[in-house]
Amino acid sequence: MKAHSVTMLGTGLIGDFYTMTLHRQRGRDRVGVVYSRTEARARAFAERWDIPVATTDLDAAIRHPDTDVVVVGLPNFLHEDVVKAVAAAGKPVLVTKPLGRTAAEARRMLEAVEGAGVFGGYLEDLCYTPKSLKAVTSVAEGAIGDVTWVRSREAHPGPHSAWFWDGRLTGGGAIVDLGCHCIEIIRSFVGKGNRPLEVLCHTDTLVHPIDDDDNAVALIRFESGAIGQFEVSWTFRGGMDLRDEVAGTNGTIWLNHFLRTGYEVFTAGGTGGYVAEKAETTAGWLFPVGDEVAELGYANMFTDMFEALDSGGTPRETLYDGYVVNEVIDACYRSSRSRAWEPVELFEWRGGTTARITSHPETYEGQVVIKREILPDGRAKLILKDPATGDFVDRVVAGG
Amino acid sequence: MKAHSVTMLGTGLIGDFYTMTLHRQRGRDRVGVVYSRTEARARAFAERWDIPVATTDLDAAIRHPDTDVVVVGLPNFLHEDVVKAVAAAGKPVLVTKPLGRTAAEARRMLEAVEGAGVFGGYLEDLCYTPKSLKAVTSVAEGAIGDVTWVRSREAHPGPHSAWFWDGRLTGGGAIVDLGCHCIEIIRSFVGKGNRPLEVLCHTDTLVHPIDDDDNAVALIRFESGAIGQFEVSWTFRGGMDLRDEVAGTNGTIWLNHFLRTGYEVFTAGGTGGYVAEKAETTAGWLFPVGDEVAELGYANMFTDMFEALDSGGTPRETLYDGYVVNEVIDACYRSSRSRAWEPVELFEWRGGTTARITSHPETYEGQVVIKREILPDGRAKLILKDPATGDFVDRVVAGG
Amino acid sequence: MKAHSVTMLGTGLIGDFYTMTLHRQRGRDRVGVVYSRTEARARAFAERWDIPVATTDLDAAIRHPDTDVVVVGLPNFLHEDVVKAVAAAGKPVLVTKPLGRTAAEARRMLEAVEGAGVFGGYLEDLCYTPKSLKAVTSVAEGAIGDVTWVRSREAHPGPHSAWFWDGRLTGGGAIVDLGCHCIEIIRSFVGKGNRPLEVLCHTDTLVHPIDDDDNAVALIRFESGAIGQFEVSWTFRGGMDLRDEVAGTNGTIWLNHFLRTGYEVFTAGGTGGYVAEKAETTAGWLFPVGDEVAELGYANMFTDMFEALDSGGTPRETLYDGYVVNEVIDACYRSSRSRAWEPVELFEWRGGTTARITSHPETYEGQVVIKREILPDGRAKLILKDPATGDFVDRVVAGG
Amino acid sequence: MKAHSVTMLGTGLIGDFYTMTLHRQRGRDRVGVVYSRTEARARAFAERWDIPVATTDLDAAIRHPDTDVVVVGLPNFLHEDVVKAVAAAGKPVLVTKPLGRTAAEARRMLEAVEGAGVFGGYLEDLCYTPKSLKAVTSVAEGAIGDVTWVRSREAHPGPHSAWFWDGRLTGGGAIVDLGCHCIEIIRSFVGKGNRPLEVLCHTDTLVHPIDDDDNAVALIRFESGAIGQFEVSWTFRGGMDLRDEVAGTNGTIWLNHFLRTGYEVFTAGGTGGYVAEKAETTAGWLFPVGDEVAELGYANMFTDMFEALDSGGTPRETLYDGYVVNEVIDACYRSSRSRAWEPVELFEWRGGTTARITSHPETYEGQVVIKREILPDGRAKLILKDPATGDFVDRVVAGG
């Protein structure tokens, strides 16, 4: 198996998470070069993670001869230029979420990378959490029947760095920061080939003195009829709320990635240490996660990326997926302004067509069986609909 | 304290729940008369609950001389005529949810009861669950600051009786059956005086071969800016999902009324008995509630109704509240058709005006403090916004 | 149905809980007389609960002509004299837990009440929680097979009143205060007729500067072979931990009565109010219960007591049960000193005999089937034991 | 960083888990040789995991020139001979739990490895779960004060392979299989330097037709006064119950490693696939874990072992720890027979001495403050003990 040498572009929180993931658990891949716009930050990062080369020269960082993969962990407004530069250098590029500030930016990045024929990956960690991967697999295997509804919720008290709050630099507010995760989680459950047709969205700025949304709710309607629902908030109190719920015709899945994962602590005094990302208190009942880097999907994400790269395959999350996410986000903001459903305007749909969710109701003596309940005495109560009149009746019959 | 003698109109599941509530725990009030459209059902109910009088004569049931309160537990399409008859008889009337099939029906009932000057109550049990009452009180006392968002979810695999499935008899589908609860739960948390302005709703019929909605999601925008979000489903698998979430500027509340209340059972075989309303299985992991009648709010609801009646006061849930619920439901169906926000058209608003949720951001050297985080070394990291340029910066300062 | 007029002896926290229970939810029974050793406390209590008569004259309180039931809510060291006085007055007596400081005291109370032929009840609320009652019923119906093990845990940071801490007045430490609940919960699950044979107990005083146990763990072995395990602590941090776990040959039950019951609150500031009994904080994540009086079993307990009294029956918890509890506690303290199993020395056993837990293993071709697992391919893997040699083998066979 | 080539001895479930751990997530270490007593099993394992060499020759497997670490994943009764052979070959040896069938065996292995001067590690995965590692660290940093009590519970319906059920081959029953985990989890929380002094244990064979314990409960008393409590069962119904609870003078920790980790599934039909180790059903509510290999600690365990090996350090779990575990187990069986406390007879104690848990109670006007509660009006209620008389009083004072 090949060992990769990575150039890390960016030294913020996400750069730390990515590098921690790569350098731990006896992994073979290492960051060999780190780039920051600020020399002091580049140097500190290199020391923190034992990286041989620190530089403020972007081109040198990308074209470093040892580097065979470039990871973009920079703020959103820098993505387009940087991704184009990596593509021009002919190197594989992995880009943090969201891909662009807008779908137009995302599309240009997609075209640059595909035009250059280099490998591209979209670093959407939350689709790679251990729970998500297992749940997506079991849904694909039919464990819950057809998916009818997915709720993905991401909420916390707001980002840690100044630039996140400036919509000019990011492309928007909480939807851009958090909704991008939710959209891709939803797509994973309804099926990547299930086309997102249109979007209904409400945004508001309720608490923070900013111009962009600090709260939003949106619905995404897919070709199958399934509804994706996401809720994002920068005003949530209590930590970081990351929950997904999936309803199917045959079952239900509830995932909780933070705050309630089987780890509960009460402490009367301060623990004097880092508890968890976005935790708000250091006393009382606290709900850490065991291993954030694993629980948030970073480990599985890089494994998938490098395995796809090594095998000449396609990673689970591609730059095209990143583009689709940006189109859904753009439609959300249009819907928020128009106050009505807005179409998702994909320049190209790479999935297939997905049939409408169907049910094949049983019939009983020419009537449609709406529901069948077993009574305590073993008989069955049927609720029947007369197809001619549309009338409904209860009927108790023998047998189970 | 007075003891009331009740006439129960209707012998379905809800009549059983109401009577079980009144007759248990050494309560002083009793059902003295039961009415059903079917003689056998009236008699069986009377025997089951030890009720002296069973009748199929509606007028006799209402006007029985011992009766001083009439409870309407009949299907929706019978409410209007029956409520008018009770009002005409000059007796207090308590009506099960939803009040009407439409807002127009609800308004006529409201006017009949108010015109007759009799006491009216709206039997919305889920606003009276022990958890809800306590949580509503703590929200009113400021425990979580201003409410920004309420999610109320009610989902199960579908109703037990045929008439529920016939929109001509009920007024609609899952929204009418389940959404009526959610709307009033939401109003309790954002404040009854906080006017519901408009509604955004998506409905679909995904699974059952019926004409009405078996799934719906809706947003209600209130005057304060708070958003109420409800999700209802007749296709949920796994039991009855009754959860509420409340987000405030200063805190969060999560309530779970069923399925995860601290009562967990695994059984390899059948338990051979009733587990819980809408439970789907009798083996494997099951999640009963301890005391359904109490947990679902019935006990507190009747206590509130009778105490209001005895004291000449107003119950927590009035027929006017029932009317407001019907108007919100009507707006939901209009929105589902128009695919855009629709106003809630109240003929009269009895609440006051509610100010917009406000935040009073701190300033620091002329800049607006967006966020303040305490660093491990005790210093504070401020995220500041320059009011002139709209630029954001990080700044680390001494002190906490 | 009869309405009872109660004399309440004692005005502490338990008197408040009892009276709150009796006076709420339109109950027919009322406290008519309250007694305290202190006049100011008697008067304040009477005002708080709207009780006509307050007195410091014990005999007058007991013999008040309106009173037809006397509730003993006084500290442990006063129970014996008071119970004897009520028995002598020929009135029904309900005694709070624990019955006595020692089994000898408990036995004398039992004999006084039975000798006088008056109704006696043991106010063990935690056997009456809604979850406990339902779970005990389902266990009795066979939902989990034979009970093999019951864990009952009660832990909090210590009692609210001075006298609780003085073993001379109470009979001991945390075992007397909390273990009495656990013992009776355990007996309810293994079966009241299942004789407690012997006890193994460890006690220690780890945190508080007192002479009695602030922590203890004990095992109770029953005739069936079932083990009851209780853990009590006055040094628990985080609120009040009330959990029961029941293992059976065919299933499992987990009950949580406090802290995790589907009610979760995060508040950044103080709620400014009472959250829950023994809560330690007023900010951060809090876990109230909805309705403490109901959740802790008080409501069901008084209903059972008065119904038994009215019908000439026996309540679920009798003074004999209280006596058994005291014998088990005495054995616990003996075991703690002897550091070995100690017999439970009942002067009289009123239950029957209970057969040893039995399993009837399947055989396969003359071998004993230890375990049967279904393989993914539909075949069954058997683990077999050769009865002659005692050797074990794996064997895969066709069919399920 | 060095890449290790491993010889895996044994091809059972644990061999699969170990190899899955080593070969995934782009780890640098690989299994190069696999040994089984059965040729077909060796070959199948080698194919399953892409291992170059499969052999039934134990000595060749150990002495293979590429091999620089030997992992012992064989049944208990084979450990001693094999470990001695690896030590004689002068190679690092990592041994699965439990180390020996008895402390005598464990001691001989320890002495063989230490005598040979080779690196030894004890593969106790459950001390390495992400939650355990983080919790142990926070306890060591003082987050919950002094540890007073640890409960570790491991229960499931019984092992998957025949030899586990034969005490002659394993050394005992559920205690040997499951208790070994619990003992080391408990030691991690009370402190590895905190000497286990004595043990109180009850065992029984309640359900399975075997000669050894299928259920056991034990207490371990440590030098500090802390109590470790473990419960093990081969008769648990509902899956695999892995929970730890830690009580401290200043806080509480609850860990749940299985069954309730934020992943909940309801499925009406079969999922048709592997759900989780020891899951009992494939329909109804199921509770998988996200990533078993990570959640059960295997990944962190091998990282620790190889890092210690590479750096010349000591792993978190040594063969000496394995020996201590066997001594505690031996004491448990002695206690079960003697029905009293039994000393833990270590031939050598390599920890230090640990002071008794101490509390430093506050005094108030010469009295000992037992408890301090803040009243709603802001005053404090003190419970005071008179050191002279031992009497307790309540006292309300100004201030908080």
Side-chain angles (χ1 to χ4, degrees), chain D residues 120-350:
Chain D
Y122 178 52
L123 297 177
E124 171 40 77
D125 55 292
L126 291 180
C127 291
Y128 287 98
T129 77
K131 288 168 185 162
S132 300
L133 285 183
K134 202 169 192 174
V136 165
T137 301
S138 74
V139 167
E141 288 171 349
I144 64 166
D146 287 338
V147 172
T148 55
W149 173 80
V150 183
R151 177 210 194 197
S152 182
R153 174 172 174 79
E154 179 155 357
H156 60 56
H160 297 301
S161 291
W163 69 266
F164 273 96
W165 297 85
D166 188 339
R168 298 167 302 186
L169 305 182
T170 64
I175 291 181
V176 167
D177 180 28
L178 307 177
C180 61
H181 291 300
C182 301
I183 291 163
E184 209 49 10
I185 290 168
I186 289 167
R187 289 186 66 223
S188 298
F189 282 112
V190 300
K192 288 286 194 72
N194 197 348
R195 184 167 185 160
L197 300 180
E198 52 178 355
V199 163
L200 194 60
C201 180
H202 171 70
T203 65
D204 207 342
T205 310
L206 289 170
V207 173
H208 297 296
I210 56 174
D211 295 330
D212 293 281
D213 47 301
D214 61 12
N215 279 277
V217 184
L219 301 182
I220 308 167
R221 192 168 67 81
F222 289 88
E223 193 181 15
S224 71
I227 289 293
Q229 167 186 316
F230 72 77
E231 304 150 19
V232 293
S233 179
W234 277 349
T235 71
F236 179 74
R237 305 307 304 263
M240 182 153 67
D241 186 16
L242 293 184
R243 281 177 293 158
D244 305 316
E245 303 180 17
V246 189
T249 51
N250 214 32
T252 297
I253 293 176
W254 291 338
L255 304 182
N256 200 331
H257 302 286
F258 239 74
L259 287 181
R260 299 291 183 276
T261 63
Y263 189 162
E264 315 182 32
V265 178
F266 179 87
T267 175
T271 59
Y274 175 84
V275 176
E277 199 188 333
K278 268 101 183 175
E280 289 202 89
T281 51
T282 56
W285 280 104
L286 305 172
F287 299 87
V289 294
D291 179 348
E292 280 183 58
V293 163
E295 294 290 321
L296 293 179
Y298 296 108
N300 292 325
M301 179 177 72
F302 280 110
T303 295
D304 179 49
M305 290 293 160
F306 290 131
E307 286 182 354
L309 179 57
D310 292 352
S311 68
T314 303
R316 184 176 278 266
E317 292 293 317
T318 65
L319 295 187
Y320 177 73
D321 291 315
Y323 159 73
V324 172
V325 169
N326 271 119
E327 285 287 12
V328 173
I329 291 174
D330 283 7
C332 284
Y333 284 121
R334 284 200 306 275
S335 171
S336 174
R337 288 188 300 268
S338 74
R339 316 190 84 236
W341 286 94
E342 289 288 340
V344 178
E345 294 174 337
L346 301 167
F347 81 92
E348 176 181 307
W349 172 239
R350 298 185 181 175

Side-chain angles (χ1 to χ4, degrees), chain A residues 266-281:
Chain A
F266 180 87
T267 174
T271 60
Y274 174 82
V275 176
E277 198 189 330
K278 268 102 183 173
E280 289 202 271
T281 50

Side-chain angles (χ1 to χ4, degrees), chain C residues 126-146:
Chain C
L126 290 181
C127 290
Y128 288 98
T129 76
K131 288 169 185 161
S132 300
L133 285 183
K134 202 170 192 174
V136 165
T137 299
S138 72
V139 168
E141 288 171 350
I144 63 167
D146 286 339

Side-chain angles (χ1 to χ4, degrees), chain A residues 8-12 14-15 18 71-75 79 94-96 123 163:
Chain A
M8 182 66 58
L9 306 179
T11 55
I14 197 67
Y18 288 168
V71 171
V72 181
L74 294 162
H79 286 194
L94 310 180
V95 190
T96 195
L123 297 178
W163 69 266

Side-chain angles (χ1 to χ4, degrees), chain B residues 77-285:
Chain B
F77 68 98
L78 299 172
H79 286 193
E80 182 173 355
D81 286 352
V82 165
V83 168
K84 284 175 172 170
V86 182
K91 295 208 174 167
V93 61
L94 311 180
V95 190
T96 194
K97 65 88 200 170
L99 183 52
R101 283 177 293 185
T102 62
E105 276 192 5
R107 180 175 174 181
R108 289 193 297 268
M109 285 183 255
L110 174 66
E111 290 174 342
V113 169
E114 296 190 340
V118 299
F119 180 94
Y122 178 52
L123 296 177
E124 171 40 76
D125 55 293
L126 290 181
C127 290
Y128 288 98
T129 76
K131 289 168 185 163
S132 299
L133 285 183
K134 202 169 190 174
V136 165
T137 299
S138 73
V139 168
E141 287 171 350
I144 63 166
D146 287 339
V147 172
T148 55
W149 173 79
V150 183
R151 177 208 194 197
S152 182
R153 174 170 175 81
E154 179 156 357
H156 59 56
H160 296 302
S161 290
W163 69 266
F164 272 95
W165 297 86
D166 189 339
R168 299 166 302 186
L169 305 182
T170 64
I175 293 181
V176 167
D177 180 28
L178 307 177
C180 61
H181 290 301
C182 300
I183 292 164
E184 209 51 8
I185 290 168
I186 290 167
R187 289 186 66 223
S188 298
F189 282 112
V190 302
K192 288 287 194 73
N194 196 350
R195 186 168 183 160
L197 299 179
E198 52 179 356
V199 163
L200 193 61
C201 181
H202 171 70
T203 65
D204 206 342
T205 310
L206 289 171
V207 173
H208 296 297
I210 56 173
D211 296 330
D212 293 281
D213 47 300
D214 60 14
N215 279 278
V217 184
L219 301 182
I220 308 167
R221 193 169 66 81
F222 289 88
E223 193 180 15
S224 71
I227 289 293
Q229 167 186 316
F230 72 76
E231 304 150 19
V232 293
S233 178
W234 278 349
T235 71
F236 178 75
R237 305 308 304 264
M240 183 153 67
D241 187 16
L242 292 184
R243 281 178 295 158
D244 306 315
E245 302 179 19
V246 189
T249 51
N250 214 33
T252 297
I253 294 175
W254 291 340
L255 304 181
N256 199 331
H257 302 288
F258 238 74
L259 288 180
R260 298 293 183 273
T261 63
Y263 190 162
E264 315 183 33
V265 179
F266 179 88
T267 175
T271 59
Y274 174 83
V275 175
E277 198 187 333
K278 268 104 183 171
E280 289 201 270
T281 51
T282 55
W285 279 104

Side-chain angles (χ1 to χ4, degrees), chain C residues 292-370:
Chain C
E292 281 184 58
V293 163
E295 293 291 320
L296 293 179
Y298 296 108
N300 292 326
M301 179 176 73
F302 280 111
T303 295
D304 178 51
M305 291 292 162
F306 289 132
E307 286 182 356
L309 180 56
D310 291 353
S311 68
T314 303
R316 184 176 279 266
E317 293 293 319
T318 65
L319 295 187
Y320 177 74
D321 291 314
Y323 159 72
V324 172
V325 168
N326 271 119
E327 285 287 12
V328 172
I329 292 173
D330 283 8
C332 285
Y333 284 122
R334 283 200 307 274
S335 170
S336 173
R337 287 188 301 269
S338 75
R339 316 190 83 237
W341 287 95
E342 289 287 341
V344 179
E345 295 172 336
L346 300 167
F347 80 93
E348 176 181 307
W349 173 240
R350 298 185 180 176
T353 58
T354 305
R356 169 87 179 170
I357 296 163
T358 49
S359 59
H360 303 284
E362 187 191 351
T363 57
Y364 183 87
E365 298 185 357
Q367 308 233 333
V368 181
V369 179
I370 300 294

Side-chain angles (χ1 to χ4, degrees), chain B residues 38-60:
Chain B
T38 313
E39 189 168 343
R41 287 176 61 91
R43 260 205 310 262
F45 192 94
E47 265 170 48
R48 191 153 70 243
W49 296 110
D50 192 21
I51 297 169
V53 181
T55 178
T56 58
D57 179 339
L58 179 66
D59 215 54

